[in-house]
């Protein structure tokens, strides 16, 4: 009898002898044995029959596992069932079937859940009470042969001996999808660099292409006769390469879904499967491919676009020092180093690593004994600092340049040989596969490189014949293009159009380079080794096998191209330069990317709930949508889409972007909303598709490389179009049904606006730089959709204006009756006949750039950079298309009916069908409700157009902000509206402080005008009810401090205690004095009544004051403290002074001085120049606050030896404890009533920190560094600020 598992009975009884226990044992025949542990005798034997479960044979269950608790027993068997039995095994409580034999089971401590494992590699949890089952892990059941990474989405594809291909999410560690090949085992895999497509090689020699999104096979090729031992795309995804075990290598074209074979070479790769799955290596620049062959002793390098041989390296003829070598060495694997190093690495059968110059093939160095039993995989970090090798079931991480005494570290974990090891592109993780998938945290990726120590070079240099240290990093020389391509017509090609046959790749490649670059640039290739293909990509956007032409494709033209007499036909500047027009979206510069590692709690366990987002992103373009009939109102703030109910004054938030949202688009049935954001760091450009009925993210689209300036749905909601910014100039048409790409192309100039024609099927128009107007047609008559385009002729009158010769078209709007209005950067509006694609009239609508055009029912609204909104009557303009009226304007054809000035550049606008009312967004961060009938404009959303430098909260009702433009805003948390605003012109408000005592006031009215002291101050109030707010003190960049009475809406005091900018300000705890700190390190103590400066403290002189804080401590056991009123000052040089004061007696003395050490370099590794004023700007700020939990404790954080919070006791004069942080803090606040600390950091996270436990949660949503956090006085709310974004969080703990 074969026993499978055993366990002790559950439960512990103190009055019972530990030996008086029962052991349960399960056998493969289905028997359960109850054994007396003390007597070693069998009490009972029961056989679990399968007959009661549908098997008439009555055979016993083949048991694999057994687990017992106080109430029941759990068994797992070969029939795939896990069963719950009572301890007498008379009946079954519960059973659940799995997809394979159950091999492991365990019971939770509360007896409510089961953990179940199967032989198919799955682990799941069964909830006994609800009988629900959740699979928490899936795995391969056979050895993993290869893997490949999708760096854009952090996904991984693996192939295994269990005949499966699986796709994994590296963030969640979950299986996303899998493919099964029952009759053919996959052995190699490669992920497409930009699409959700994988290529997979099989033992039979077949190579198949799979679409992950549709779970279908796109193409299949069977050129190889043996197993596929190598598979890879080049970095630009132009070509796919595969190698077979019988010596063949193939080149495929990836331009369409057929993956056509371009060339197949036989007997060129070394025979055998021992080099799988890395039989060859593709160079990072995509110019060459290296592999071992045709023999084991030769490394061959071929041209990546034609497979023509470039170079051969014979490793048996190396000029080595070893003269007594009896064994001939053979090459095993090849790997290219990063472009900065330009080396080719070769591992050999004698466990050596050879480094060759990738351009000349000369050997550079040789390293012996990298592994004992052979190297199975090799990889190099993107920065060229580290080398990874796998062998002997271990991973070694090497110093790439071998400059140390011991140049590697060994990492153990695998129990079987490692198939492949890879370093992720962000250098945060190492992935290794073999017996399992291992994800390692790569800690060396963020370390600062140390200079090599003397005498530690041990590698052999074959250039000089000596052992010396070499530096392989060279500064690349960038040669600007002197001749720009001449644009005559726009070349349009569908992304799925098949390429034409290429008879001679090398000739076409040479012609393409000469045509695009000219002789001067071509000559540089031989002189300095400049990569001409990279220059071609910089000019044309993508390297191609085809010769580029300037004409349209046959059969794709919808109209004959008319030569245009405008700057378009002349040489145009590089499209990489930023457009000068305000219409083109340019993202605000960020300081840091979103943290890649963050600890976000489940929504049910989150300590913060996003309550409100205050403000509108005035930097976006077309990022506000309002529809009067549907009642839909949405706009963006940073990376958040806000859907607001204006009547109910409620918000819903769509969180899915990590970068600033540029634009929005809404389907005409109000069910689907699309939002777009650009790329930054590791975050890719993406389009989020939202289901508005459920407020969930339906899908994410990723095609563009940079920012997206425009989204638009067709009138029938069948298509979505997206336009890339000036860096890629791409136009992509998506199917709105499954969001597959139907067609895509690139233009030679940046586009500024694009819209579908609502009156004609499948037509749209776009306008752009250099006076470009394009009329497009999406042709669906063929098997695959394609784009056709016509470039319109521009009248000479539109090309010049007041001496300006570089005119751009910035906006467009369809108006019915085949009329298209187009706005220009010079303020002109032109009218076009869409049937003839020609301009028939134009007029000067503004003196500034026209960015917004909205037209309905014979009325037109224009707006732009001139801050003005104008309403035009255009009823009779259509008659001007008639030849008889070509020289005369209808009397009622064009009339400006009204004009309205707003507070900034017009960035978005939506109006109802009558054009009487609408919503308009400005660059000042304001959304206005505009009523032409009543000639009124009302603020719907109040925001900030510039950076917020300071924030305060009064109770739970008001948020006060100080801004870079000198304005102070008082915002209501109830309706998110601005109630009071002050503004000091030509100055920046740097800091704010609230008086500790509220001063009530009666009903007042707003005051507007200049004050007696000469400072220009504008104040207004929208609040009709009396405010009950304390006095507010503000510090400004000119060194002045102003005190405002918010109830009377006026400034009551101005003082000038500083010669430099005021960086911190606060009232004392009794409100008698105002403490202010300057950029020069001086702290001034001024009377809050007279404004007289009574004391100047210079202890921090030379280092700017970063924060001030006050408190009152009644029971402090410290003889040095003479008064319970304490305050502290913190300077950027990590010094904190603590003071005791009694202002009624003019008493103030220092009771403690804290200095915190820090390394002499910044977090990025640059050296800090001590003594320079700007040296501290590159360091995280120094922040200190009095603790509300422990009266004598100061909480400090700043730049130091470690990222941490430090708790300093005033009574004990020492650090009580520290709490580690994951990022350097940029903002700090302590809850006044709860044991919570709020921390903001440059990595865009808001961190809620437990004061005592030191546990924390991260909260995302901001699109830039979180510079300010502030709790309300009740602790119910938390405000976080990032640039001009304000998030109001509800504290849920």
């Amino acid at each position: 009898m074969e026993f499978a598992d055993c366990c002790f009975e559950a439960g512990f009884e103190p009055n019972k002898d530990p030996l008086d226990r029962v052991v349960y044992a399960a056998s493969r025949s289905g028997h359960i044995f109850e054994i007396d542990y003390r007597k070693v005798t069998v009490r009972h034997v029961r056989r679990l029959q399968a007959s009661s479960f549908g098997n008439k044979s009555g055979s016993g269950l083949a048991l694999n596992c057994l687990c017992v608790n106080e109430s029941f027993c759990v068994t797992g068997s070969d029939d795939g069932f896990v069963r719950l039995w009572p301890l007498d095994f008379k009946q079954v409580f519960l059973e659940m079937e799995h997809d394979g034999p159950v091999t492991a089971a365990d019971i939770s401590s509360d007896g409510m859940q089961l953990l179940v494992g199967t032989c198919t590699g799955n682990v799941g949890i069964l909830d006994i009470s609800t009988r629900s089952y959740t699979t928490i892990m899936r795995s391969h059941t056979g050895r993993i042969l290869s893997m490949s990474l999708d760096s854009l989405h952090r996904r991984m594809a693996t192939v295994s001996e269990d005949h499966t291909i699986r796709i994994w999410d590296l963030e969640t560690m979950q299986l996303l999808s899998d493919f099964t090949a029952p009759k053919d085992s996959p052995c190699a895999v490669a992920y497409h660099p930009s699409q959700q497509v994988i290529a997979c090689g099989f033992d039979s020699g077949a190579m198949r292409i799979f679409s992950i999104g549709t779970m279908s096979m796109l193409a299949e090729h069977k050129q190889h006769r043996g197993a596929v031992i190598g598979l890879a795309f080049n970095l630009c995804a132009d070509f796919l390469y595969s190698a077979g075990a019988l010596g063949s290598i193939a080149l495929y074209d990836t331009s369409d879904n057929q993956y056509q074979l371009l060339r197949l070479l036989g007997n060129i790769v070394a025979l055998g499967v021992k080099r799988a799955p890395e039989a060859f290596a593709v160079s990072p620049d995509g110019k060459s491919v290296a592999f071992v062959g045709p023999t084991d002793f030769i490394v061959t390098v071929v041209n990546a676009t034609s497979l023509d041989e470039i170079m051969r390296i014979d490793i048996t003829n190396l000029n080595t020092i070893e003269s007594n070598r009896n064994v001939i060495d053979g090459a095993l694997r090849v790997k290219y180093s990063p472009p900065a190093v330009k080396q080719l690495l070769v591992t050999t059968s004698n466990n050596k690593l050879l480094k060759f110059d990738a351009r000349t093939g000369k050997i550079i160095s040789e390293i012996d004994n990298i592994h004992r039993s052979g190297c199975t995989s090799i990889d190099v970090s993107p920065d060229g600092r580290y080398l990874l090798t796998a062998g002997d079931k271990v991973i070694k991480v090497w110093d790439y340049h071998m400059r140390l005494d011991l140049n590697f570290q060994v990492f153990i974990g695998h129990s079987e040989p490692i198939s492949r090891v890879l370093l992720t592109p962000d250098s945060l993780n190492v992935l290794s596969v073999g017996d399992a998938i291992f994800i390692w945290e790569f800690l060396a990726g963020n370390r600062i490189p140390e200079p090599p120590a003397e005498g530690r070079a041990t590698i052999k240099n074959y250039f000089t014949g000596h052992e010396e240290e070499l530096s392989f990093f060279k500064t690349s020389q960038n040669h600007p293009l002197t001749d720009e391509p001449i644009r005559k017509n726009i070349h349009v090609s569908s992304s799925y159009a098949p390429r034409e046959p290429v008879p001679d790749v090398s000739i076409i490649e040479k012609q393409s380079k000469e045509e695009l670059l000219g002789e001067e640039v071509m000559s540089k290739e031989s002189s300095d080794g400049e990569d001409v293909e990279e220059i071609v990509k910089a000019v044309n956007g993508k390297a191609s096998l085809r010769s580029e032409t300037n004409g349209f494709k046959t059969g794709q033209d919808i109209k004959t191209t008319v030569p245009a007499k405008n700057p378009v036909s002349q040489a145009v500047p590089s499209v990489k330069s930023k457009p000068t027009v305000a219409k083109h979206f340019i993202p605000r510069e960020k300081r840091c990317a979103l943290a890649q590692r963050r600890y976000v709690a489940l929504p049910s366990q989150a300590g913060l709930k996003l309550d409100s987002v205050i403000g509108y992103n005035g930097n976006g373009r077309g990022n506000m949508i309002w529809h009067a009939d549907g009642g839909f109102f949405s706009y963006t703030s940073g990376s958040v889409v806000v859907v607001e109910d204006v009547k109910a004054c409620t918000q819903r938030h769509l969180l899915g972007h990590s970068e600033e949202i540029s634009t929005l688009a809404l389907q005409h049935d109000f069910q689907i909303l699309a939002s777009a954001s650009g790329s930054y760091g590791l975050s890719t450009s993406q389009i989020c598709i939202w289901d508005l009925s459920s407020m969930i993210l339906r899908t994410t689209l990723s095609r563009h490389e940079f920012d997206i300036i425009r989204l638009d749905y067709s009138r029938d909601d069948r298509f979505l179009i997206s336009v890339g910014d000036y860096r890629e100039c791409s136009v992509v048409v998506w199917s709105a049904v499954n969001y597959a790409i139907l067609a895509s192309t690139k233009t030679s100039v940046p586009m500024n606006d694009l819209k579908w024609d609502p009156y004609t099927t499948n037509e749209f128009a776009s306008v752009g730089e250099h006076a470009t107007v394009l009329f497009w047609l999406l042709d669906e008559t063929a098997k695959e959709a394609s784009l056709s385009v016509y470039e319109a002729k521009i009248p000479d009158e539109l090309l010049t204006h007041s001496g300006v010769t570089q005119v751009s078209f910035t906006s467009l709007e369809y108006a019915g009756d085949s009329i298209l209005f187009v706005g220009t950067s010079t303020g002109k509006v032109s009218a076009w006949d869409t049937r003839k694609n020609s301009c028939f009239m134009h007029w000067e609508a503004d003196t500034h750039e026209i960015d917004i055009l909205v037209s309905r029912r014979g009325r037109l609204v224009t707006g732009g950079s001139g801050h003005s909104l104008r309403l035009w009557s255009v009823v009779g303009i259509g008659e001007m298309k008639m030849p008889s009226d070509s020289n005369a304007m209808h009397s009622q054809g064009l009339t400006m009916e009204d004009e309205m000035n707003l507070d900034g550049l017009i960035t978005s606008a939506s109006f109802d069908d009558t054009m009487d009312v609408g919503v308009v967004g400005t660059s000042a961060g304001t959304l206005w409700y505009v009523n032409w009938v009543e000639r009124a404009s009302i603020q719907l959303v109040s925001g900030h157009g510039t950076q917020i430098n300071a924030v305060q909260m009064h109770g739970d009702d008001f948020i006060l902000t100080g801004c870079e433009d000198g304005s102070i805003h008082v915002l209501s948390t109830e309706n998110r509206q601005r109630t009071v605003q002050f503004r000091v012109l030509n100055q920046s408000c740097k800091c704010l402080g609230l008086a500790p005592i509220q001063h009530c006031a009666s009903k007042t009215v707003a005051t507007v005008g200049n004050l007696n002291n000469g400072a220009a101050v504008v104040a207004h109030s929208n609040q009709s009810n009396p405010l009950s707010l304390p006095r507010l003190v503000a510090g400004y960049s000119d060194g002045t401090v102003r005190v405002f009475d918010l109830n009377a809406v006026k400034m009551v005091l101005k003082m000038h205690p500083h010669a430099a900018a005021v960086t911190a300000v606060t009232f004392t705890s009794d409100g008698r004095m105002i403490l202010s700190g300057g950029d020069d390190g001086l702290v001034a103590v001024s009377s809050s009544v007279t404004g007289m400066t009574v004391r100047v403290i210079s202890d921090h002189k030379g280092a700017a004051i970063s924060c001030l804080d006050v408190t009152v401590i009644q029971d402090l056991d410290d003889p040095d403290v003479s008064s319970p009123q304490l305050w502290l000052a913190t300077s950027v040089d990590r010094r904190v002074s603590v003071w005791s004061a009694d202002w009624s007696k003019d008493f103030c003395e220092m009771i403690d001085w804290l200095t915190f050490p820090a390394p002499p370099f910044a977090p990025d590794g640059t050296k800090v120049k001590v003594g320079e004023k700007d040296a501290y700007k590159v360091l995280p700020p120094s922040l200190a606050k009095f603790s509300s939990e422990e009266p004598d404790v100061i909480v400090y954080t700043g730049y130091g030896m470690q990222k941490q919070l430090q708790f300093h006791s005033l009574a004990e004069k020492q650090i009580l404890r520290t709490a580690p942080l994951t990022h350097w803090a940029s903002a700090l606040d302590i809850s006044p009533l709860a044991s919570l600390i709020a921390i903001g950091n440059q990595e865009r996270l808001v961190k809620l920190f437990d004061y005592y436990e030191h546990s924390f949660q991260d909260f995302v949503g901001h699109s830039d560094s979180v510079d300010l956090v502030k709790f309300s006085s009740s602790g119910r709310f938390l405000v976080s600020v990032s640039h001009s974004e304000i998030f109001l969080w509800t504290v849920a703990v």
Side-chain angles (χ1 to χ4, degrees), residues 626-633 666 668-670 913:
W626 173 72
H627 201 281
D629 296 335
F632 180 80
F633 180 43
L666 178 68
H668 296 82
D669 59 0
F670 315 120
D913 288 338

Side-chain angles (χ1 to χ4, degrees), residues 987-1042:
Q987 298 297 332
S988 297
C989 180
K990 296 294 186 181
C991 48
L992 295 175
L994 283 174
I997 304 174
Q998 282 192 341
H999 298 282
C1000 297
S1002 60
K1003 182 176 179 180
T1004 60
V1005 294
T1007 60
V1008 181
N1010 294 325
L1011 301 175
N1012 296 331
N1013 50 34
V1017 178
V1018 180
H1020 68 270
S1021 173
N1022 297 332
Q1023 194 80 357
S1024 58
N1025 296 326
L1027 300 177
S1028 179
L1029 297 171
R1031 289 197 172 189
L1032 175 71
V1033 60
Y1036 290 86
S1037 56
D1038 61 349
T1040 59
V1041 175
R1042 292 174 170 88

